Amino acid sequence: MKNLQRLLQKTNNVPKWLPILFLCIALFGFADASYLTITHINNVTLPCYIVEGCDTVTSSKYSEIFGIPVSLLGALYYLSIIVLTTLFLDKKYIGAIYIASLLTPLGLIASAYFMVVMFGILKALCIYCIGSAISSTILFILGILYITRFHNNNAYEQKKEGSQEKTQKEKG
Amino acid sequence: MKASHKSILIWSCIIGGIILLLWFLTSVGTKPQQTEVGTISLSQPATAQDHSKGAEGAAFTLVEYSDFECPACAARGPVLEQLLHEFPNDVRIIYRHFPLTSIHDNAMLAAQATEAAAIQGKFWDMHDVLFNTQQQWSTEESPQEYFTKLANSIGLNTEQFTTDITSQVVENAVKEDTKEAEKMKLPGTPSFFLNGQKISFNSYEELAALITKNE
């Protein structure tokens, strides 16, 4: 209960660039993953270009898990980060950006797995998949940055505020 | 600005942005990327040496520059088959090699496999079986053994096939086609020419429309 209250607390202690950058990267990742999903669902086979390669990766058996295109899962992941970050920008809830940060390792692990499949097993190139891997890596770095630098600061600040209130009460 | 107004503004920007983005991506993602067409015309007209299928002396000749390791090329197979089926007297299809060796390790040898099969008169059988088994051999380190198995399955003399596949004649046959493709600066595969003019299509209907329009 206490934890929930803590997540619903508001903060002004996070520099504005952090959630905005978070949002931009998540939007980029979302666009990228949505495009892959749309082409996958429409079964469009992109031609092979000498320089860019072709869609060996997105038409492989690794592109689906239990019949669900993995790019759709990616798009939902980015969408949840977008919603949480927007919630933070709007209401300044600590919990919103905290949960978004906690989600980022998921994206990183998934991306790492797909990079291994792509280069290790399929030995093919998929520009859009690399795009998604880059954005999930940046999100992970930003998430770590938030948790280590700012989240604890918030906690510290609240503790301080709490103890100040306490002393004020005692004085009063 | 009132806090509630600010909230509405933020959320409508995000939701509106996402809807616009999805709309845009859907319109782009439904069709394959179009390459520049119309500017390239076929440098080498159809000859007797070409591998062709369909009616001799047909009014329409469709030349395809293709790569056996390219998924999009494999996907076009049924479309071309349907075309031959629907226009048995009007269409001839010619296959030419354009293995994209920079991105496909086994494409060159696969092309050579069809040329080796052609020596025994089974180019199209090898063509079909290679496209049908693309996912099985495209990731093989050394696919020659697999190709020999395929050769056996379509009734080729495997001993002769094994000698032919790496022979200079066969290699040159593939390289000649590739040289033409490079000369025309084709961006990739598959590339199609209808009666000498580069065309692109996304479905059987679009291809058939090009034929009926010019009939």
Side-chain angles (χ1 to χ4, degrees):
Chain A
M1 198 63 206
K2 226 178 185 177
N3 284 338
L4 189 70
Q5 271 177 355
R6 163 110 172 78
L7 292 178
L8 288 172
Q9 271 168 0
K10 299 186 177 191
T11 178
N12 282 314
N13 204 21
V14 179
K16 234 182 175 155
W17 62 265
L18 187 73
I20 289 178
L21 195 58
F22 224 82
L23 186 65
C24 292
I25 303 290
L27 276 170
F28 172 80
F30 177 72
D32 187 284
S34 306
Y35 179 72
L36 278 175
T37 311
I38 291 164
T39 52
H40 187 94
I41 289 172
N42 285 323
N43 212 1
V44 171
T45 37
L46 300 171
C48 296
Y49 296 109
I50 304 168
V51 215
E52 298 160 45
C54 39
D55 58 352
T56 315
V57 181
T58 51
S59 55
S60 75
K61 61 177 178 180
Y62 301 95
S63 67
E64 286 187 356
I65 180 161
F66 306 121
I68 304 164
V70 291
S71 50
L72 179 65
L73 299 178
L76 290 176
Y77 159 74
Y78 288 116
L79 188 65
S80 57
I81 298 228
I82 291 170
V83 171
L84 286 167
T85 317
T86 313
L87 188 65
F88 176 77
L89 282 171
D90 180 20
K91 301 283 186 207
K92 302 277 180 287
Y93 291 138
I94 294 178
I97 195 152
Y98 182 59
I99 293 171
S101 300
L102 289 182
L103 285 177
T104 58
L106 280 181
L108 185 81
I109 292 167
S111 288
Y113 167 72
F114 288 117
M115 288 300 107
V116 169
V117 168
M118 204 172 94
F119 290 113
I121 301 172
L122 299 171
K123 297 191 175 59
L125 204 65
C126 161
I127 298 288
Y128 294 100
C129 311
I130 295 177
S132 179
I134 292 173
S135 46
S136 60
T137 309
I138 299 175
L139 283 179
F140 175 72
I141 294 170
L142 291 175
I144 290 292
L145 191 71
Y146 169 74
I147 290 176
T148 54
R149 295 285 297 279
F150 301 107
H151 190 68
N152 289 336
N153 275 1
N154 287 335
Y156 173 71
E157 197 179 64
Q158 269 131 30
K159 228 179 183 178
K160 216 167 72 180
E161 274 171 14
S163 60
Q164 270 173 359
E165 270 170 34
K166 221 175 162 186
T167 42
Q168 269 172 1
K169 263 185 197 168
E170 274 168 11
K171 272 181 190 171
Chain B
M1 207 192 302
K2 266 166 100 183
S4 62
H5 286 172
K6 197 182 153 200
S7 294
I8 293 170
L9 188 73
I10 291 177
W11 286 100
S12 42
C13 274
I14 289 293
I15 293 169
I18 286 176
I19 290 171
L20 262 177
L21 188 74
L22 286 178
W23 173 80
F24 171 74
L25 292 173
T26 313
S27 61
V28 176
T30 334
K31 286 185 172 184
Q33 290 153 339
Q34 297 273 332
T35 51
E36 280 299 310
V37 281
T39 46
I40 309 175
S41 49
L42 191 63
S43 61
Q44 176 80 41
T47 64
Q49 275 80 49
D50 278 317
H51 304 293
S52 76
K53 207 154 73 161
E56 286 289 328
F60 295 94
T61 304
L62 186 73
V63 176
E64 175 190 18
Y65 276 89
S66 182
D67 169 345
F68 288 106
E69 208 180 321
C70 143
C73 303
R76 290 300 166 86
V79 173
L80 300 184
E81 278 306 318
Q82 194 180 349
L83 187 76
L84 282 178
H85 186 74
E86 302 281 333
F87 300 90
N89 303 317
D90 307 308
V91 176
R92 186 159 73 118
I93 291 173
I94 286 176
Y95 185 98
R96 285 184 183 166
H97 302 287
F98 187 22
L100 306 178
T101 48
S102 59
I103 52 171
H104 294 150
D105 291 339
N106 297 337
M108 184 67 195
L109 197 67
Q112 285 172 222
T114 57
E115 285 298 331
I119 293 175
Q120 298 183 48
K122 293 208 164 172
F123 173 85
W124 290 103
D125 297 71
M126 191 49 116
H127 164 280
D128 293 347
V129 78
L130 276 176
F131 272 138
N132 289 339
T133 56
Q134 191 185 62
Q135 292 217 357
Q136 274 85 61
W137 56 262
S138 53
T139 50
E140 292 260 330
E141 282 283 318
S142 44
Q144 187 157 345
E145 204 178 308
Y146 193 86
F147 292 158
T148 314
K149 261 189 225 160
L150 291 181
N152 189 36
S153 76
I154 57 169
L156 292 181
N157 175 337
T158 48
E159 228 166 85
Q160 196 193 336
F161 175 82
T162 317
T163 327
D164 288 339
I165 189 169
T166 48
S167 71
Q168 203 59 47
V169 187
V170 157
E171 210 183 307
N172 285 347
V174 177
K175 280 185 175 164
E176 253 170 59
D177 283 355
T178 311
K179 225 194 277 171
E180 281 302 318
E182 283 166 354
K183 212 166 84 185
M184 290 187 285
K185 295 195 169 57
L186 294 183
T189 55
S191 291
F192 292 97
F193 293 87
L194 185 63
N195 287 352
Q197 285 303 309
K198 189 161 187 314
I199 56 160
S200 65
F201 54 90
N202 300 314
S203 63
Y204 171 74
E205 286 70 29
E206 284 183 39
L207 176 61
L210 286 170
I211 304 274
T212 43
K213 195 177 78 185
N214 293 312
E215 241 175 352

